[in-house]
Amino acid sequence: MSEETEEAPPDVHHYQDRSEVPWDIQNYWAQRYKIFSKFDEGIWLTDDAWFGVTPEPVANKIAEHMASSAPAGCSILIDAFAGAGGNTIAFAKSGRWKRVYGIEKDHSVLQCAKHNAKIYGVQDKITWFEGDCFEILRNQLKVLAPYSAIFASPPWGGPGYRSDDVFNLRKMEPYSLQFLRSEFSLFTENMVLYLPRTSNLKQLAMEVKDDKKVMVMHYCMETSSKALCVYYGGFNMQ
Ligand code: MGP
């Protein structure tokens, strides 16, 4: 990156050697170039943010699918849980959206997202908000609702999600599937949720009302699923 004068908050790191990396994120650090291909250009992450970043090829594929299947009148994309920016950057790079909004509650993680967007050269295409996405949607972005779609990659309660063969979406912490659906529906029905690959499909089906359909898509890397996305509302996946 050209202007490397920014100072990272104390809980933000750019680990360069395995010996610096806490043991519980070494698995993720080993995949750093899959997570951010420009990692060596100075990507910032907090230790907690590693768990939730969408690997770049997956983020790009989701961005491509959302770009091609969103309803025509949808010109704004809101990334409700932007984290360190993996998905937000991919949406901005896609060129499909008039504006991309990234919301993140954690100040340091938001600093990472802003910094990482600069590395990818898309900072001018993104408006960032710090705070609770449900409040921001209600109070600050309401006027954009008719033109917007939401992408949400919520916390799943940490990497411990892997211990259950079938992930219970009703017990997802801190926001259950029902809570996310009902809160986001107050804003728009056009939403895509990024959820564990082991998500209980029966619970997903029970959320679908009347004769509507939703598309569930697994996103894979090296022959195994990383996660799935559920496409609701006007998304028209062929
Ligand atoms: P993983 O299962 O923790 O890692 O996360 P991985 O590398 O598949 O482990 P393996 O040893 O089983 O192969 C898989 C993907 O899920 C990550 O790349 C993230 O995109 C996503 N992910 C993981 N967690 C714990 C979260 C989370 O809490 N929230 C969100 N939104 N995504 C997560």
Side-chain angles (χ1 to χ4, degrees), residues 27-28 31 35 50-55 58 81 87 152-162 173 194-197 221 224-227:
N27 165 35
Y28 298 95
Q31 304 177 53
I35 295 177
W50 279 94
F51 302 120
V53 189
T54 306
V58 171
F81 300 97
N87 291 106
S153 172
W156 303 342
Y161 87 91
R162 285 184 285 195
E173 291 287 347
Y194 182 87
L195 298 170
R197 56 193 164 212
M221 271 171 61
S224 67
S225 176
K226 281 279 157 189

Side-chain angles (χ1 to χ4, degrees), residues 11 23 35 41 46 59 76 112 157 182 203:
D11 51 346
W23 67 270
I35 295 177
E41 294 184 35
T46 64
I76 306 281
C112 296
S182 63
Q203 292 174 345

Side-chain angles (χ1 to χ4, degrees), residues 1-9 12-14 36 38-45 83-86 89 107-123 126 128:
M1 212 173 98
S2 50
E3 26 162 300
E4 207 22 86
T5 49
E6 274 175 290
E7 194 155 329
V12 166
H13 309 283
H14 174 76
F36 284 110
K38 294 182 187 259
F39 186 84
D40 284 350
E41 294 184 35
I43 289 291
W44 283 0
L45 286 161
I89 291 168
H107 177 76
S108 298
V109 177
L110 181 62
Q111 296 313 106
C112 296
K114 289 179 179 175
H115 173 88
N116 297 339
K118 277 189 203 152
I119 291 177
Y120 280 82
V122 290
Q123 70 273 28
I126 305 168
W128 300 102

Side-chain angles (χ1 to χ4, degrees), residues 48-217:
D48 286 345
W50 279 94
F51 302 120
V53 189
T54 306
E56 192 171 316
V58 171
N60 286 341
K61 190 48 88 174
I62 294 170
E64 191 188 303
H65 286 162
M66 286 185 66
S68 61
S69 65
C74 246
S75 55
I76 306 281
L77 198 279
I78 301 169
D79 186 350
F81 300 97
N87 291 106
T88 327
I89 291 168
F91 294 132
K93 277 196 317 184
S94 78
R96 161 66 176 76
W97 309 98
K98 211 162 153 188
R99 197 81 198 147
V100 174
Y101 291 81
I103 307 174
E104 174 52 47
K105 213 176 190 169
D106 183 296
H107 177 76
S108 298
V109 177
L110 181 62
Q111 296 313 106
C112 296
K114 289 179 179 175
H115 173 88
N116 297 339
K118 277 189 203 152
I119 291 177
Y120 280 82
V122 290
Q123 70 273 28
D124 297 342
K125 301 182 193 312
I126 305 168
T127 304
W128 300 102
F129 283 88
E130 182 173 337
D132 177 88
C133 63
F134 308 109
E135 277 174 26
I136 289 168
L137 288 170
R138 239 192 326 267
N139 301 327
Q140 298 185 59
L141 296 177
K142 191 73 192 162
V143 65
L144 300 177
Y147 324 103
S148 297
I150 293 175
F151 172 81
S153 172
W156 303 342
Y161 87 91
R162 285 184 285 195
S163 55
D164 295 333
D165 288 342
V166 178
F167 183 82
N168 187 345
L169 294 161
R170 293 199 180 129
K171 299 241 163 93
M172 185 158 65
E173 291 287 347
Y175 313 115
S176 68
L177 172 67
Q178 288 76 6
F179 178 84
L180 293 169
R181 287 278 297 138
S182 63
E183 279 290 318
F184 291 146
S185 294
L186 298 172
F187 188 83
T188 179
E189 278 303 324
N190 299 320
M191 73 182 86
V192 176
L193 303 184
Y194 182 87
L195 298 170
R197 56 193 164 212
T198 49
S199 292
N200 187 327
L201 293 183
K202 213 166 162 182
Q203 292 174 345
L204 284 173
M206 284 167 79
E207 279 294 301
V208 184
K209 302 273 155 32
D210 309 323
D211 58 349
K212 298 225 171 67
K213 289 184 183 163
V214 296
M215 171 71 87
V216 174
M217 177 82 75

